[in-house]
Amino acid sequence: MKIKPIYKNQWIKFGIWAALLILFTVWTGSGWLLLGLIWLADVYLTKFINWGAWKKSDIPQLQTILNWIDDILFALIAVYIINLFVFQNYQIPSSSLEKTLLVGDFLVVSKLSYGPRVPNTPISFPLVQNTIPFFNCKSYIEWPRWDYQRLKGVGHVKRNDIVVFNFPAGDTVCLKVLNPDYYTLKRNPNGFGYRVNCSGEDCIKRNKEVFGEVIYRPVDKRENYVKRCVGMPGDSLQIIDNQVYINGEILQDKRNVQYNYYVQTDGSVFNEEMYRRLQVSYDDHIVRDENNYPHPQPISYQKNPYFDNLGMLTDASGKYYPIYHFPLTAAACEYLKKAPSVKKIIRVPDEKRNDTYPLDYSTNWSQGNYGPIWIPKQGATITLDEHNLALYQRCIRNYENNDLVINADGSILINGKPAQTYTFKYDYYWMMGDNRHNSADSRSWGFVPEDHIIGKPLFVWLSLDKDRGWFDGRVRWNRLFRSAASFD
């Protein structure tokens, strides 16, 4: 066989790609990737195999099409690798982080900040999370499935970081009802308007026409969430009257944290200009009646002891002056206090509810008065009792993949062996939204394991206000290409 001459430019191309492959191999720690050097050597040097033969044709039109296919495939692979290991685009879908990040913000999320994860599901359709649009089917193949591995990043999660992560309670999903999550829904489907007259896992599975198929999703294919990290591994956290305490000390709110307030005026009505000045969105200042018809706030509240106890004012006829209900930052609250037309501003009182984590254990906790709770830390050991099992059995069973059995006599088996203690293998984090009264966060579904962490928002590359028209401030120009941290 005649050996073709190898020119200088071939060695240069081979050297560049070989160096990149070796660096990537060192970064991932996967030595088998070095087999790619054999392929690179043949592509650029020996050329025993004509790797481009598939796109050669004697028909000019077909040749053009094949070249386009080659370019598109290369671009898709490049974007897929960048999306996996460097950064990805993320859109803010809900108001849980307002006014720090707004609905309609499009973020560039860095995966290098905390180190990119090796995908659990390596064979998947690129650039979609878990469902292929239009076809409405899974975007991934569940085999092979790789264990959790995180490559080295430039830093670690810190307190008060805004973090993008996979939704922990999204491991089990009802395909027809994604909100609320499966675990909240199965406790009381009727409480969310689904008249099935039953509850529990069997109820969900028996009513497929209502809830759809129940499926399991791997970690990297669960929905993406974004919240602020307020609790670190090993912290003791408690919320008292909406104030977060870490290890017994106050964690000062960031300036854009907001709470819901009742605002009563002297009869004056807020206009759209006032709402914009207060940065109160349409959804927050519109209420709906029993027929789901939208009304601008306020509504005429009937006389009741609740508002009497809050000291709300009435006119000579005994009717309340207008009462509004919407979220405000500390700055917006101070602004309203100085407004001559505003008579009262009262933070919405905390109410005990049965939708706080852990869902199946009575704690008497609420969103504004929660805990104390200890956040698991890798290598730390706990004693297993009724209280700890309620708090940490999801960590032990669902996140760390152990077979946990609690017998009728109270004895505990982990992977078939009696256990009185448990040692955690992951670090965990406590995530909360800045829109404290309107955020489904760790207070609702618990801890975020380290293997669910995706990355850190770098900057906002586009921001659209859905409440405005294209010629009336639809694009929030002042937010474009600003660092996400600058909105704190």
Side-chain angles (χ1 to χ4, degrees), residues 79-100:
V79 170
Y80 182 55
I81 293 173
I82 291 171
N83 191 68
L84 277 180
F85 295 104
V86 185
F87 61 80
Q88 73 177 73
N89 176 55
Y90 180 82
Q91 179 185 0
I92 299 294
S94 69
S95 62
S96 68
L97 267 172
E98 292 200 5
K99 297 296 184 288
T100 306

Side-chain angles (χ1 to χ4, degrees), residues 400-416:
E400 302 198 357
N401 299 315
N402 295 288
D403 179 27
L404 173 64
V405 176
I406 306 170
N407 294 319
D409 61 0
S411 61
I412 301 163
L413 299 177
I414 296 181
N415 299 323

Side-chain angles (χ1 to χ4, degrees), residues 27-101:
W27 187 33
T28 61
S30 301
W32 59 269
L33 290 174
L34 291 176
L35 293 174
L37 291 173
I38 300 173
W39 176 72
L40 288 174
D42 191 53
V43 169
Y44 291 105
L45 302 177
T46 58
K47 298 185 178 181
F48 289 133
I49 299 174
N50 186 0
W51 296 96
W54 68 273
K55 59 179 181 178
K56 300 296 183 183
S57 173
D58 295 331
I59 304 173
Q61 294 85 350
L62 181 58
Q63 177 71 53
T64 301
I65 293 172
L66 292 173
N67 285 334
W68 270 103
I69 292 174
D70 182 59
D71 292 340
I72 291 171
L73 286 174
F74 179 82
L76 282 175
I77 292 170
V79 170
Y80 182 55
I81 293 173
I82 291 171
N83 191 68
L84 277 180
F85 295 104
V86 185
F87 61 80
Q88 73 177 73
N89 176 55
Y90 180 82
Q91 179 185 0
I92 299 294
S94 69
S95 62
S96 68
L97 267 172
E98 292 200 5
K99 297 296 184 288
T100 306
L101 295 176

Side-chain angles (χ1 to χ4, degrees), residues 87-92 100-101 105-110 113 162 164 456-463 479-487:
F87 61 80
Q88 73 177 73
N89 176 55
Y90 180 82
Q91 179 185 0
I92 299 294
T100 306
L101 295 176
D105 281 349
F106 290 80
L107 308 173
V108 171
V109 176
S110 166
S113 294
I162 295 174
V164 178
K456 182 178 182 179
L458 290 183
F459 61 88
V460 176
W461 66 270
L462 177 64
S463 184
R479 297 182 68 82
L480 267 59
F481 299 104
R482 283 182 59 184
S483 163
S486 70
F487 296 117

Side-chain angles (χ1 to χ4, degrees), residues 46-302:
T46 58
K47 298 185 178 181
F48 289 133
I49 299 174
N50 186 0
W51 296 96
W54 68 273
K55 59 179 181 178
K56 300 296 183 183
S57 173
D58 295 331
I59 304 173
Q61 294 85 350
L62 181 58
Q63 177 71 53
T64 301
I65 293 172
L66 292 173
N67 285 334
W68 270 103
I69 292 174
D70 182 59
D71 292 340
I72 291 171
L73 286 174
F74 179 82
L76 282 175
I77 292 170
V79 170
Y80 182 55
I81 293 173
I82 291 171
N83 191 68
L84 277 180
F85 295 104
V86 185
F87 61 80
Q88 73 177 73
N89 176 55
Y90 180 82
Q91 179 185 0
I92 299 294
S94 69
S95 62
S96 68
L97 267 172
E98 292 200 5
K99 297 296 184 288
T100 306
L101 295 176
L102 307 180
V103 174
D105 281 349
F106 290 80
L107 308 173
V108 171
V109 176
S110 166
K111 296 190 173 182
L112 294 174
S113 294
Y114 307 133
R117 297 172 303 178
V118 174
N120 301 114
T121 50
I123 302 177
S124 62
F125 193 84
L127 307 182
V128 296
Q129 181 60 16
N130 47 47
T131 306
I132 299 178
F134 306 112
F135 296 98
N136 214 22
C137 62
K138 287 195 305 185
S139 64
Y140 56 93
I141 296 174
E142 297 195 36
W143 187 91
R145 185 178 295 179
W146 293 345
D147 292 334
Y148 167 60
Q149 180 187 356
R150 186 177 297 276
L151 306 184
K152 188 174 179 57
V154 298
H156 303 280
V157 178
K158 299 181 180 64
R159 194 183 321 281
N160 280 323
D161 276 0
I162 295 174
V163 180
V164 178
F165 56 93
N166 294 114
F167 181 38
D171 54 353
T172 307
V173 177
C174 300
L175 289 180
K176 288 187 178 180
V177 181
L178 299 178
N179 188 22
D181 65 81
Y182 169 78
Y183 298 98
T184 302
L185 181 66
K186 75 175 183 177
R187 291 183 72 241
N188 182 20
N190 299 292
F192 298 96
Y194 301 102
R195 303 302 175 194
V196 290
N197 297 318
C198 60
S199 62
E201 186 173 354
D202 288 341
C203 175
I204 299 293
K205 291 181 177 179
R206 286 200 312 267
N207 291 275
K208 290 184 179 181
E209 70 282 357
V210 177
F211 304 110
E213 291 286 340
V214 177
I215 65 167
Y216 172 84
R217 282 178 176 163
V219 171
D220 60 337
K221 294 305 176 184
R222 296 168 194 173
E223 297 297 336
N224 295 337
Y225 271 41
V226 59
K227 307 284 180 186
R228 186 182 297 279
C229 176
V230 299
M232 300 289 290
D235 280 348
S236 178
L237 177 144
Q238 187 170 13
I239 303 171
I240 303 174
D241 293 333
N242 294 300
Q243 176 63 61
V244 177
Y245 290 79
I246 300 293
N247 301 322
E249 297 185 2
I250 289 177
L251 177 67
Q252 296 293 339
D253 287 346
K254 305 298 282 187
R255 66 182 176 88
N256 282 322
V257 167
Q258 59 180 17
Y259 299 93
N260 285 357
Y261 288 84
Y262 291 120
V263 179
Q264 188 174 39
T265 70
D266 59 4
S268 304
V269 177
F270 288 164
N271 56 26
E272 190 60 33
E273 181 182 350
M274 175 63 82
Y275 286 124
R276 290 186 179 184
R277 185 173 299 174
L278 296 171
Q279 291 187 297
V280 176
S281 68
Y282 177 87
D283 288 341
D284 284 333
H285 75 255
I286 294 294
V287 295
R288 295 182 179 274
D289 61 20
E290 63 276 7
N291 297 314
N292 204 34
Y293 189 80
H295 298 275
Q297 290 198 57
I299 321 184
S300 296
Y301 289 103
Q302 297 295 321

Side-chain angles (χ1 to χ4, degrees), residues 432-487:
M432 291 176 64
D434 287 353
N435 193 0
R436 291 291 165 81
H437 281 136
N438 303 295
S439 174
D441 50 36
S442 284
R443 294 169 293 177
S444 300
W445 33 255
F447 310 101
V448 177
E450 63 174 82
D451 69 329
H452 284 56
I453 301 295
I454 296 174
K456 182 178 182 179
L458 290 183
F459 61 88
V460 176
W461 66 270
L462 177 64
S463 184
L464 301 177
D465 188 341
K466 64 183 179 58
D467 296 342
R468 300 197 187 190
W470 288 105
F471 300 101
D472 183 33
R474 181 81 161 195
V475 180
R476 303 183 185 107
W477 296 101
N478 64 322
R479 297 182 68 82
L480 267 59
F481 299 104
R482 283 182 59 184
S483 163
S486 70
F487 296 117

